[in-house]
Each structure stands twice: as structure tokens, then as C-alpha cells.
Amino acid sequence: MKNQNFNWKDYHHQIYQIYHGMIALTLVPFALLFLEWDSGSAQVEVSYSSTFFILTSQLLWPIGFACWYVWKGEGVQRKTSNDVVLEEKLKEFKKINLYKYLLLAFAGCLAALAMWLQPSFIFVIAYLGVLVQYSFLRPSEDKIVRDMQLTKDDRRKMHESA
């Protein structure tokens, strides 16, 4: 690689910190709300035909769109060609995945907000769907190699710089 300052372990650790930080950003409010439900302190009757529930359930649309966009949206697709230097491919992977994680964090926060406004297990299921999306996007080395279409030589160069 041209830049000798690149370190694979540091790069991979940075991506994992971002990944876990985004999950924690949404998991903490969700867990607190869920524990409050379980404690029985918020005994609210949910009327699925009420106007407030219908309005609150409209938050499912942006949650669903964000989850779809993470997989199929134009802004999260690979843009570089295979001729680009390894370091540029890894920078692109980091940028794209940061955007994906932010979208999922937004969707998770919306689900937690909806849970807070209207206690319903529909929003719990929506949040769990966001967590499943996160699990598919875990930034393992194999996923990075597969997504960026790295060659065996690129993979070898990554580990030589460590």
C-alpha cells in the first residue's frame, strides 16, 4: 500500500466501535422503555382504533423505508471500480457503512420514540427488525472483503500493514 500509516487492526477496531456505538445509541432508550413496561408502572390501555395510535403507527413507514434503504438505496451502493487502490476501497466501505449505521440508528430511535408515545408491541417488533438488520451488517473481515470485492492480494496487503 502507498500509505504506510494504514493499520488493519486499527481500521477494523474503528469500524467495530462505530458499529457497537450505533447499536448502543438505540438500545439504551429501548431497554429503559421496555423495562418500564415490565415494571408495570406504565399501565396504558392501547386502543388500536384511536386516532393517536393511528398517527403514531405512521412512524412505521420511515422505519421500514430506512431498513429498505440500507440494502437497496442508491446512497449505500459501492461506487468505486476494482482498479482503485486498497486504501480507497476501505475508506469507501467505512463511509458507506457509517451511513448505513446512522440510518439504522435513526430507525431504532424512531421505534423507541413510538414505543414511548404509544406502548405497543408493534414498535418492539419494528425495533427488533432494526437489530436484525444490524446483525447482517456486522463489519467482519469476510464481509469487508466480499462487499468491496477485494482480491486475495488485497487481503494479504491488509494484514502485512498491521
Side-chain angles (χ1 to χ4, degrees), residues 81-125:
S81 67
N82 288 335
D83 302 342
V84 178
V85 182
L86 173 63
E87 189 172 313
E88 290 301 315
K89 288 181 182 180
L90 293 174
K91 283 181 184 177
E92 181 187 20
F93 179 85
K94 189 180 201 178
K95 182 177 134 189
I96 287 173
N97 279 286
L98 176 61
Y99 187 52
K100 287 179 179 182
Y101 302 151
L102 284 171
L103 281 172
L104 287 177
F106 172 73
C109 287
L110 275 181
L113 173 69
M115 281 175 55
W116 180 63
L117 293 173
Q118 183 68 54
S120 173
F121 279 101
I122 292 172
F123 305 118
V124 173
I125 292 169

Side-chain angles (χ1 to χ4, degrees), residues 48-67:
Y48 293 107
S49 60
S50 75
T51 306
F52 187 66
F53 177 78
I54 292 170
L55 290 174
T56 307
S57 67
Q58 297 308 307
L59 290 174
L60 292 172
W61 292 107
I63 293 168
F65 180 76
C67 290

Side-chain angles (χ1 to χ4, degrees), residues 13-67:
H13 185 68
Q14 270 182 339
I15 290 180
Y16 260 99
Q17 283 182 322
I18 293 168
Y19 172 77
H20 288 109
M22 291 296 169
I23 291 173
L25 179 73
T26 62
L27 190 59
V28 169
F30 171 80
L32 291 173
L33 287 168
F34 199 73
L35 288 172
E36 185 177 324
W37 281 8
D38 196 35
S39 71
S41 64
Q43 300 256 335
V44 178
E45 270 307 305
V46 177
S47 173
Y48 293 107
S49 60
S50 75
T51 306
F52 187 66
F53 177 78
I54 292 170
L55 290 174
T56 307
S57 67
Q58 297 308 307
L59 290 174
L60 292 172
W61 292 107
I63 293 168
F65 180 76
C67 290

